[in-house]
Amino acid sequence: MQASLAVGNAGTSVTAVDALAALKLAAGRNPNANGTQVSPYQLIAADVTGDDRVTSGDALAILKMAVGRSDALAPEWRFVSENHDFWNDPVNGVQSLNISRSNIAYDQVFNVDVQGDTQVNLVGVLTGDVNGSWSAPANATLLVDSYFQDMATRLGAPVTQWIL
């Protein structure tokens, strides 16, 4: 079984703002204007070339997506298990990611033993959409913030991993 999701309004979701965010990540800077810690999903979204790094090349590729160049990469969905632990154990009360702009390695293989009804919860990351501006269709079922707050508590991760 392969997971997929229609990209929908990806053309309006990937903008020059995302290219700037990717460039900031490539330079080791936080792209979040409010100072929120960088999310692992931002790093995954910024790595549009798929080489497990965020570089100025990714920023250029995102800019090409944003302006609709004919040689632009197409945005695609990458899926991550919702329970994936991206966080190191806190040191002196400070939590850090176990992936970085120079090493975006995470488990991209899902082994699911399907016997009867099976539910697998995944996080979809749209490549190029570094600021998470993609929005679900109007008829989509959305999860409430408390779902993510509970998951953050269970995983020992900041809720900003899912909610920017």
Side-chain angles (χ1 to χ4, degrees):
M1 177 175 86
Q2 183 175 359
S4 66
L5 181 64
V7 174
N9 67 346
T12 60
S13 297
V14 179
T15 68
V17 173
D18 295 299
L20 178 58
L23 189 57
K24 286 181 178 180
L25 286 170
R29 294 183 49 211
N30 185 338
N32 301 324
N34 63 2
T36 302
Q37 186 171 4
V38 173
S39 164
Y41 303 121
Q42 286 180 285
L43 292 168
I44 293 168
D47 177 27
V48 296
T49 60
D51 64 357
D52 292 336
R53 303 177 302 143
V54 178
T55 66
S56 58
D58 292 297
L60 178 59
I62 293 170
L63 187 57
K64 287 180 179 182
M65 285 180 191
V67 299
R69 291 252 320 232
S70 61
D71 60 339
L73 296 171
E76 62 182 43
W77 288 100
R78 294 189 182 146
F79 294 95
V80 182
S81 171
E82 97 174 354
N83 292 320
H84 189 88
D85 184 6
F86 287 105
W87 300 92
N88 294 314
D89 291 333
V91 175
N92 298 325
V94 177
Q95 209 168 20
S96 63
L97 286 170
N98 59 28
I99 64 172
S100 68
R101 65 186 169 99
S102 59
N103 184 19
I104 305 174
Y106 63 97
D107 191 3
Q108 298 179 42
V109 177
F110 308 106
N111 294 313
V112 179
D113 184 15
V114 179
Q115 298 192 16
D117 289 339
T118 301
Q119 179 175 326
V120 177
N121 294 333
L122 304 174
V123 175
V125 179
L126 181 62
T127 59
D129 184 19
V130 181
N131 67 0
S133 62
W134 180 85
S135 57
N139 62 346
T141 301
L142 302 179
L143 298 171
V144 295
D145 286 354
S146 62
Y147 179 88
F148 299 100
Q149 291 162 344
D150 292 344
M151 194 164 37
T153 300
R154 188 174 72 247
L155 293 176
V159 73
T160 54
Q161 175 171 320
W162 300 276
I163 304 171
L164 290 178

